[in-house]
Each structure stands twice: as structure tokens, then as C-alpha cells.
Amino acid sequence: MSRIPFSGFPRLPRSVRRRRFLVSLVIAAALLCGLGAASAAGLLGQRAQWTTLRAWQDVRAVAAQTGSFARSRFVSLTGRKPASGGAPSRPTTPTTPTGPTTGGGASSQNSSQPRLVALPSARLYADRGSAAYTRFKNWVDAAVGNGGTGYGFTASEAVMMYQLSPETRYCTLAINVTERQVTAAETAIAGGGRPAVSNDSYLEVGTMIADVATTLDTCGSFLTASQRSRWSAYAEQAVWNIWNYGSAQWGGRSFPWSGWSTSNPGNNYYYSFLEATMYWALASKSSTWMSFLQNNKLPALRDYFSRLPGGGSSEGTGYGTSHMRLFWLYEVWRDATGSNLALASPHATDSIYYWVNATVPTMDRFAPIGDQARNSIPELYDYHRRLMLEARDLAVSEDARNIATWWLRNISVSQMTSGFNYRYDLLPVGTTPVQPTELVYHAKGVGHLFARTGWDRSAMWVAIVAGPYNESHAHQDQGSFTLFAGDWLAVTANIWSGSGINQGTDVHNLVRFARNGTVARQCESSTRASTLDVSPGAGGSFTANADLTPSFCDNTAVTSWQRQFTFANRRLTVRDQFAVTSGTTATFQVNVPVAPTLVNSREATAGRLRVRVLEPANATINSNFSSGKYVEDGARYRIDVTGGTTGYVVELSEI
């Protein structure tokens, strides 16, 4: 008997589908109201409360989409905008709160949601039967024994432990740690100075004020009225000083500061400022600070990351780990208010793919792009694990979540190695690891390209930089490449330095232009950027054409520079075409980790790397492989190809 193909049920008219959708939404909301009431009453346990909260967020998101659809249909049908009936429109120019207040005030909570707008509890995601929980508990218990003076310990960790296991000793510890911070601040202020929270342009204000906020929020019943008042005044002044940097004050004395990166959502400082403000707004229930976040700082954040498709950070991979802090704030805000900032753009989900591809095949290191201040050698650490755990928690794509699980289970950092990071291992790793299949990944927003011959540990891997250069922790590395197979074949000399912050063209694998003996600088710009067009092929192969002329926007040495990369069969071929002014020389340079050997005037080897000059005919390899002290710890090895006046073609392959 023949089988009739099933083509699906007849498609209902759009008006009927819309009515059924709205009915389903109402029914779901009604069911969730019942679940919400039960969970709020503690009848269904913490996991049910968490599930209910997430479900409410989904319903609210769908409702918002429905409202958006209705508004767009109204405009298309009538040509008029709907009346503003309820929520006020956002001010054209949001303003910073004009002076310190004492906190308090109404929150922006939707009263129909079955929980208050407040700092969320670790109980929402922690599995108290896991090994990660035991490690975290032991870490906090040790801090109880030493008074919380262990390296990196914060009051917030004691607060989290109290939420998970409500023993008075944990709140006592949190209060003692926070009281020490506030007392030290008061002492500094009384002496006519400023407190430590303002050090280094308020870099650590997020961590410090989060301690005050979480301890007040969770352990407030153990505090005296005087402590609550003093702590609140201190936190309020600190947060106010961040955004009012020209009028910042302590104890009535003027202490203005630069305001560095208070308006730059791409900079790591911004996340500390946001953390302090967000935690304090939620803990104090300040309508002023909530409004400031919602109308000013969060829109700026959403707008910025909507312009970074592909994930990653314009600060590079070293300071780019600060997105672990950013994603944590997304989670805090989502769990506190029901508003998921990560849904405003694909950046958080894309960052999973970014970091998976930025990791070398041996799964222990990553692409060294930009400053590497924590460790000049780009080895994976707790911060990368934390970033991925948080990105996975935010991701809306099941594919991305499963790939994150695979990465977390295969990297060299199988669990947090430093005690002060143990709390982040409470986030779930996932149960369904899926190995990636795509071999070429282009993060267009930040201008980073990664490719590999496979996902096995013996694969060859390449990274290329060509895009915006607009952050202080980024490098003069536009047009540079990194090559890896088992170990570094060609890599920036910056990773062998003591500081990890050598930014000049000397330390990168590109063409070094020098005019009358002075190396031409690449320059930061908010208006000009290099471009990269990528054409992927089979087996991880690709051709990428870069226009790098914009990277030299403030000097006259380089008129134009185009660079083409061709990667196939474990071989990278680089073709340069450039035009320079009189007195400018162009040197094709490759930084390598081991001493090179000159095979002939057009070929050299360095470990397992072979470098062959294909064009022009008169180009030669300089036999002096230590080209000077271009990193602070002394010269590294560099293969210099000279003689080209309009371009080069150089092939890099394995031996």
C-alpha cells in the first residue's frame, strides 16, 4: 500500500492563529499565577520558584513581542503612533542624579510578577548536592575561621553561603568584613582624605559596593540602625561620585576625578561602575538609581553591544574576560527584575562561539589579542571558565548552550582553581556536550577571524586581526596573524614579555613600516576601521582580504596597505600590496618562539615552522634574527623579510 506524504495540518487564517495565541498566553499566565503563589509560599521548593520565575520572564517576553507586533500593525494600518497610555517615554537626554540621597523609594517592579524586585539569591541556581557546592562551602568556612582575611575573599561570598545555608556565622562574617571596609573609609574621610573605594579611578567600586549592598539586603536584620545608616550613606556617596566625577566629594571635601570610561560600555571599568550602581539600586530600592539605570546606562549598554556581532571584546582577549562581569550583571538584573538585557542583542550568545573558536586546539590557551596583563602567556584560567558559564546561562540557543558545555568539559581548567572563584562553579555546566562543526569563525564586530583544520587537538589553527582599533588595551596589531599547531608556530612576542602590555607593531606578525628610521604607528580611531572580507572553504580553508589602510590614519608613511590571507592544507599564504611615501621602508616580519635557522636567503625555519619568500624576486630574509630589544625583557626571535617596495608574498607551513 502506498503511503501518502504528510504535509502538515491546514494553515489557519492569521486572525484565528492570533486569537488562539492570545488565549494560550492568558491561560499560561493564569497557570503561572497559581504556580507563583505556591512557590512564593514555599510550597514547591527553590527549584520550583526558579522555574516559575523563568516562566514568568518568558511570558512577559512573549507579551512584549505581542505588544510590539500590535503597535507596528497599528502604525502600518493608521499611519499614526499609538497613544502613550502608561509608561512614560524615555527622556531625550537622560540626566545623572543631581546629588546623594539616602536610598529607599519605590522600585520599578511589575506587581503582577510573583516576587519583589530585589537582589536575587544564590538558591536560584546552586545545587547543594554538588561537588562545586562543597568546595564553595569549605572556602567560606575557612574564611569564617580566619575572619575573612584570605586572599580575594569578599563579604558577598559569606552572604551567598548564608542564603544557601542560613547559619548566623555567615552573616556575622559578612557584616564584619563589610564593617571593616566602611570603618576604614570613614577613617580616611575623617583625616581629610578619600577612601580606598575611589582608588585607581574607582576600578574596584563594583566589588566593594556589592559587598555593602548584598550584606544589607540579606543580613540586614543582624545590623544596628547606626550600621544601616552609615553603610547606606557610604554606598550612596560612592555611587554618586562615579557618575558625577567632576563634583565628587567625600566628607564635604571636593575629590573630583577623571571620569575614565563612565560613558564607554566597551571598557572593563564600565562594568565595575555598573555593578556598584545596579547592586545599590536593587538593595536600596532607590527609584532614582533604578530610573538612572533604565533610562541612561542600560540603553547605552544595549546599543553598544548590538554593534558587536560575533561576540568578543574590542579590548582584545586579555581584558575581554571582563565580560564575565558583564554577563554576571545581566543575570543579576534578569533574576531581580525579569528584564533580560542579554536578549537585546546576540552578543552574549555569540561570545560562546567566539571563545570556543579563540581557544587553540590543545584546549589550554587562547588567541593573544591585545594586552595580556594578568598573565602575558595566554593560558586559560578561571576567568574564561566563569565567562563561559555565565554566557551559557544567558544563551537562548540550545546549540550554543551545548557547545558551551562541550568546551567547559574539555578545556584545561576543569574547575575553578582559585578559592575566590569557587562561587561561579555553582552555575550549571550542562548535561549535553556537543562538539562544534564549523571550522571558520569571523567575529565581525571586533574584527577577529579564527580558523582550524579540525576540532582534534593536532589541528592547525590561525587567528587574524582586522577591524576597529578603538580601545586603550587593544594593540597596533591590525593585519597581524597567529599560527598554532601543537604549540605556537608564529605568535606575538608580547606573550614572552614580563608585562604583557607591549602594544607596538614591532611585536606583531605584520608589515613594519618605518619612515626615516621611525616605525609608523597604527592609531586608535572611533571613526575609521580596517575591514576584512572572508570567503570560507572546505576543511577550514578560507581566503580573507583585509584593507588595513585606515589603521594608519594619523601618519603619512603609508598611503595604502591591503593584505590577503589564504589558508588551506595546513599552509598560510600572506600576500601584501602597499604604497608608501618617500623614505619609508616595509619589512615583512614574523615573531617566533624559538631561534630560527636560515636555510637560504629566501627560506628560514623556526622549530616546526617554515617561512618561504615567494615574491618579489629581490626580497631576502635578514640573517639577524634578534632585531633589537623590542620587548622590555630583551629581544625575542623575529624573521624579517626586506626588499619589497610594493608588496610581498610569503608562505608559512609546517615542517
Side-chain angles (χ1 to χ4, degrees):
M1 185 176 74
S2 63
R3 184 180 298 272
I4 300 174
F6 176 72
S7 60
F9 294 108
R11 190 162 179 81
L12 296 173
R14 180 178 297 178
S15 59
V16 175
R17 295 200 310 271
R18 194 176 303 137
R19 286 196 299 271
R20 288 192 175 186
F21 170 78
L22 292 173
V23 169
S24 299
L25 182 63
V26 171
I27 293 173
L31 289 171
L32 284 169
C33 283
L35 283 171
S39 64
L43 300 178
L44 301 180
Q46 288 296 332
R47 290 198 177 276
Q49 293 180 39
W50 175 235
T51 302
T52 303
L53 172 62
R54 285 292 179 86
W56 265 101
Q57 292 168 355
D58 292 342
V59 167
R60 290 177 68 190
V62 171
Q65 292 171 0
T66 305
S68 176
F69 172 81
R71 286 189 295 272
S72 66
R73 289 292 294 164
F74 183 90
V75 172
S76 66
L77 291 172
T78 67
R80 294 183 290 113
K81 293 183 179 180
S84 63
S89 60
R90 196 175 75 193
T92 305
T93 306
T95 56
T96 309
T98 56
T101 62
T102 58
S107 72
S108 60
Q109 180 211 349
N110 180 342
S111 61
S112 65
Q113 190 173 331
R115 70 194 305 271
L116 294 174
V117 174
L119 285 169
S121 168
R123 291 192 299 271
L124 294 175
Y125 56 85
D127 178 1
R128 282 173 281 187
S130 67
Y133 171 79
T134 301
R135 284 195 302 275
F136 176 62
K137 184 178 185 302
N138 290 341
W139 162 254
V140 180
D141 286 347
V144 171
N146 64 26
T149 57
Y151 180 76
F153 185 82
T154 64
S156 297
E157 294 169 281
V159 169
M160 289 178 68
M161 196 61 239
Y162 180 81
Q163 293 168 351
L164 296 167
S165 179
E167 302 173 43
T168 301
R169 61 189 181 126
Y170 296 131
C171 264
T172 299
L173 175 60
I175 291 169
N176 289 341
V177 171
T178 306
E179 179 65 27
R180 285 200 297 266
Q181 178 190 160
V182 177
T183 299
E186 291 170 335
T187 300
I189 294 167
R194 55 183 178 81
V197 73
S198 66
N199 290 350
D200 195 2
S201 299
Y202 287 81
L203 175 59
E204 298 302 331
V205 68
T207 300
M208 298 175 77
I209 298 305
D211 272 3
V212 177
T214 55
T215 305
L216 267 170
D217 186 68
T218 298
C219 302
S221 61
F222 296 94
L223 295 171
T224 65
S226 174
Q227 283 177 312
R228 286 193 291 272
S229 176
R230 290 169 43 242
W231 291 15
S232 295
Y234 164 69
E236 183 71 27
Q237 187 69 64
V239 173
W240 189 84
N241 282 354
I242 295 170
W243 308 111
N244 297 274
Y245 46 88
S247 305
Q249 57 181 278
W250 290 105
R253 300 180 184 87
S254 178
F255 284 96
W257 65 287
S258 68
W260 169 254
S261 287
T262 52
S263 298
N264 181 9
N267 188 278
N268 62 96
Y269 276 70
Y270 192 90
Y271 314 139
S272 182
F273 304 155
L274 199 63
E275 180 179 14
T277 310
M278 187 179 290
Y279 269 82
W280 183 238
L282 291 168
S284 66
K285 305 294 190 296
S286 168
S287 58
T288 300
W289 288 120
M290 289 292 288
S291 177
F292 176 64
L293 287 166
Q294 292 167 330
N295 296 331
N296 189 321
K297 292 305 170 182
L298 298 185
L301 194 74
R302 289 191 292 264
D303 291 345
Y304 177 86
F305 284 105
S306 69
R307 300 191 296 271
L308 289 186
S313 168
S314 292
E315 290 193 291
T317 52
Y319 279 84
T321 54
S322 63
H323 286 174
M324 65 183 179
R325 198 172 199 170
L326 171 68
F327 296 160
W328 178 261
L329 295 179
Y330 284 175
E331 294 172 72
V332 169
W333 193 254
R334 175 199 65 194
D335 299 342
T337 70
S339 175
N340 193 340
L341 300 169
L343 297 181
S345 76
H347 179 264
T349 298
D350 284 353
S351 289
I352 291 175
Y353 298 113
Y354 177 93
W355 278 101
V356 168
N357 284 278
T359 304
V360 303
T362 50
M363 303 297 285
D364 57 350
R365 284 161 283 179
F366 58 91
I369 301 173
D371 283 348
Q372 305 293 325
R374 187 193 64 82
N375 181 2
S376 60
I377 298 175
E379 298 169 323
L380 291 175
Y381 175 60
D382 295 1
Y383 295 160
H384 307 90
R385 181 175 180 82
R386 175 187 168 186
L387 186 155
M388 186 65 77
L389 283 166
E390 290 165 353
R392 182 191 173 279
D393 187 64
L394 293 166
V396 295
S397 161
E398 194 64 24
D399 174 73
R401 290 168 63 84
N402 291 339
I403 286 176
T405 297
W406 174 85
W407 186 88
L408 287 162
R409 291 189 175 192
N410 284 277
I411 59 170
S412 55
V413 186
S414 59
Q415 63 184 46
M416 299 298 177
T417 60
S418 298
F420 58 85
N421 291 317
Y422 284 173
R423 59 171 148 171
Y424 304 110
D425 261 342
L426 297 175
L427 289 165
V429 174
T431 58
T432 311
V434 174
Q435 181 175 284
T437 56
E438 298 295 325
L439 300 175
V440 179
Y441 187 78
H442 185 198
K444 296 181 180 180
V446 296
H448 302 162
L449 172 66
F450 308 108
R452 64 187 69 215
T453 57
W455 287 97
D456 55 292
R457 292 178 182 263
S458 61
M460 179 175 278
W461 171 95
V462 62
I464 293 168
V465 176
Y469 174 25
N470 53 15
E471 288 290 344
S472 62
H473 291 297
H475 283 195
Q476 299 175 52
D477 60 354
Q478 294 299 306
S480 68
F481 62 87
T482 304
L483 197 61
F484 184 100
D487 206 340
W488 305 113
L489 299 180
V491 64
T492 170
N494 182 53
I495 77 170
W496 311 119
S497 69
S499 67
I501 59 173
N502 293 267
Q503 298 188 349
T505 58
D506 306 65
V507 303
H508 296 292
N509 299 325
L510 37 69
V511 175
R512 182 176 78 254
F513 299 98
R515 188 165 188 261
N516 299 324
T518 301
V519 176
R521 289 179 53 82
Q522 296 183 2
C523 62
E524 293 182 47
S525 174
S526 59
T527 59
R528 294 166 61 98
S530 300
T531 60
L532 186 67
D533 294 323
V534 183
S535 299
S541 65
F542 68 83
T543 298
N545 294 295
D547 181 5
L548 304 160
T549 309
S551 64
F552 292 94
C553 57
D554 69 347
N555 75 77
T556 57
V558 184
T559 304
S560 68
W561 178 28
Q562 283 76 41
R563 174 166 261 200
Q564 182 185 78
F565 301 90
T566 304
F567 182 61
N569 302 317
R570 301 178 76 93
R571 179 180 290 108
L572 178 66
T573 303
V574 184
R575 179 182 296 272
D576 289 297
Q577 291 181 308
F578 47 78
V580 297
T581 58
S582 176
T584 300
T585 60
T587 302
F588 184 107
Q589 62 185 34
V590 183
N591 293 276
V592 292
V594 297
T597 299
L598 188 66
V599 177
N600 56 55
S601 64
R602 293 170 64 82
E603 181 176 338
T605 62
R608 293 173 45 244
L609 175 69
R610 174 182 286 112
V611 177
R612 294 175 57 219
V613 181
L614 304 183
E615 296 179 16
N618 65 328
T620 60
I621 295 177
N622 191 325
S623 60
N624 179 12
F625 295 118
S626 293
S627 303
K629 294 185 176 182
Y630 52 91
V631 295
E632 73 273 10
D633 300 322
R636 278 286 168 174
Y637 306 107
R638 188 173 67 197
I639 298 173
D640 282 352
V641 182
T642 59
T645 57
T646 60
Y648 291 102
V649 179
V650 179
E651 177 189 271
L652 300 97
S653 60
E654 274 180 299
I655 296 174

